[in-house]
Amino acid sequence: MTTDIIISVRGLEKHFDEGKLKALQGIDCDIKRGEVVVVIGPSGSGKSTFLRCLNLLEQPSAGTITVDGADITDPRTNINKHREKMGMVFQHFNLFPHMTILKNMTLAPMKLLKKSKADAEAKAMALLQRVGLADRANAYPSQLSGGQKQRIAIVRALCMEPQVMLFDEPTSALDPEMVGEVLDVMKQLAEDGMTMVVVTHEMGFAREVADRVLFVDEGRIIEEGTPAQIFENPQQPRTQDFLRKVL
Amino acid sequence: MNAAVESISFFEQLWLNIQPAVQANTLTFWEYLYKEIYLNVIQGNRWLQYLKGLGITLEVSFFAILVGLALGTILAILRLPQVQNINCKGKGFWANLGAVCVKALSKFAGLYINIMRGTPLLLQVLIINFGIFGSIRMDKVIIGVIACGLNSAAYVAEIVRGGIMSVEKGQTEAGRSLGLSSLRTMIYIILPQAAKSALPSMCNEFISLIKETSILSYIALTELTKAGDYIRSRTFSAFTPYIVSGLLYLIVVLTLTWLIGKLERRLRNSDH
Ligand SMILES: Nc1ncnc2c1ncn2[C@@H]1O[C@H](COP(=O)(O)OP(=O)(O)OP(=O)(O)O)[C@@H](O)[C@H]1O
Ligand SMILES: [Mg+2]
């Protein structure tokens, strides 16, 4: 059963401004392989910080994070090797503006997985095909719409063949009519069995795709459960309050 | 061959024609102009000396720019906040030692930039020439490249640092989240974007450097300014050789400006 768990977080804390600001105040959670976990919560509750700690874009202040059996909070772990296993998708896409789409997608696999140009491009083209953007392979990011950029950002991360994908509000910067196309790609990914941790305000997506929903407030997991439990029958007053505001 | 001989004899002839007026000191404006040009450019193939001087100016400038770019980029990276505050606690002895060295280098880089920007280039040239290479025989061109390159590096460092800081933080995070090391992220993702935004200031720096190599005439390097100086000492013209040298500087600078403007437009059009 334990091999089933890919990420294990214990007592995770993150402090900013020399301890004055406690963004995370003790998070415990286990994420199973293939599980889709959606993190919801009010603004400033620490959702992004939690996600960013998982691939060490933020250095945790306390606690341990074990990924695939290795304690990544140990200073001696190779952070870069760890990050290869964790794809991340950002709110603002963060595509490399000076490279074509294809170059965006093949840079890391060629440098890190030592793939040949042909192999890396074949993989990239196959992924572009899947998200319907094969014809934009030689375009630059500035020539794409927001929805297209975010789909590219997702497949760019997938080119590294990660075991886990982290999404930090992937649709929050999009025009409403483009949200659907990005969520569709994420659904597809979930169906393919990818382990996903998704911070989002898209409650419809959470309901439909999540295996488990975490409600976070003030740096703590206040309540967690299946989408049905959280959305139909929340137990905690704060969860009820939050859902009343967003639904 | 013939054409050359004929053209020279044409200039010679013109020169002979105005000799009476030269003797009598009754030159018209155009005759005076011709006399100056003849003495300072044509006679004894002096124009070759300007071109030689120009060649040395370009040679020194080119290599000094390379030295400045390479050293300046390293200095810029050393001055970045994430390098200044590098922390390798708990990663073992060697990582810690590395961090301490990098921090020391960063401090040194700051000191270096302040000193190079805070003292006159002429003094730096004289110190390098008489102090460091005083007792060693060394080609003046190399001394010039070293002096101007070391000086330019300080300015380039600030330009590159500004360029790097202008690149969004998300770019670094995207690179790192793919697993790229900080060095690779810097090389493949940050520096190319920094270079683009730093291009106009960098162009200014190159132009300054080309003109400032004229200071090397103080250490008897016959670059373009010194070439004019030398010709003036031979022809006793008041300032005509300086005008000739000046025109050549102007041509070089305008050409460079034009080239970089073209490059900028190309980068902007493919805007990424
Ligand atoms: N780099 C930082 N430096 C200082 N404080 C930070 C930093 N990053 C986050 N914080 C603070 O930590 C707290 C949690 O921030 P976080 O971004 O994780 O919230 P969030 O749940 O993602 O909010 P949102 O929904 O607005 O994205 C906030 O109070 C925020 O101001
Ligand atoms: Mg956030």
Side-chain angles (χ1 to χ4, degrees), chain A residues 16 21 23 42-49 169 201:
Chain A
F16 290 110
L21 203 161
S43 179
S45 56
K47 305 181 297 293
S48 299
T49 307
E169 301 198 27
H201 295 299

Side-chain angles (χ1 to χ4, degrees), chain A residues 52 55 75-76 80 83-84 86 88 90 94-99 107-108 111-112 114 140 142 156 160, chain B residues 89-91 168-171 173-182 184 188-189 192-193 270-272:
Chain A
R52 291 159 60 81
N55 72 349
R76 280 163 308 191
N80 297 328
R83 286 182 180 139
E84 289 179 20
M86 310 271 269
M88 181 145 187
F90 301 86
N94 298 348
L95 296 180
F96 308 134
H98 58 300
M99 297 177 187
L107 175 72
K111 298 291 171 209
L112 302 174
K114 308 286 174 224
Y140 282 92
S142 63
R156 177 177 71 181
M160 287 299 291
Chain B
K89 274 206 190 84
K91 292 197 183 163
E168 274 177 58
K169 214 171 125 240
Q171 292 290 309
E173 293 187 346
R176 300 306 306 273
S177 78
L178 287 167
L180 295 166
S181 65
S182 50
R184 277 178 158 152
Y188 298 112
I189 295 163
Q193 297 181 62
S270 58
D271 193 9
H272 322 319

Side-chain angles (χ1 to χ4, degrees), chain A residues 50-83:
Chain A
F50 169 59
L51 209 62
R52 291 159 60 81
C53 280
L54 293 182
N55 72 349
L56 297 178
L57 283 182
E58 301 290 357
Q59 192 62 46
S61 308
T64 58
I65 302 172
T66 314
V67 176
D68 217 7
D71 177 7
I72 62 166
T73 47
D74 184 335
R76 280 163 308 191
T77 45
N78 184 338
I79 296 180
N80 297 328
K81 271 275 168 273
H82 162 69
R83 286 182 180 139

Side-chain angles (χ1 to χ4, degrees), chain B residues 120-131:
Chain B
L121 174 60
L122 177 55
L123 285 185
Q124 294 166 16
V125 168
L126 293 175
I127 288 169
I128 289 174
N129 185 56
F130 296 113

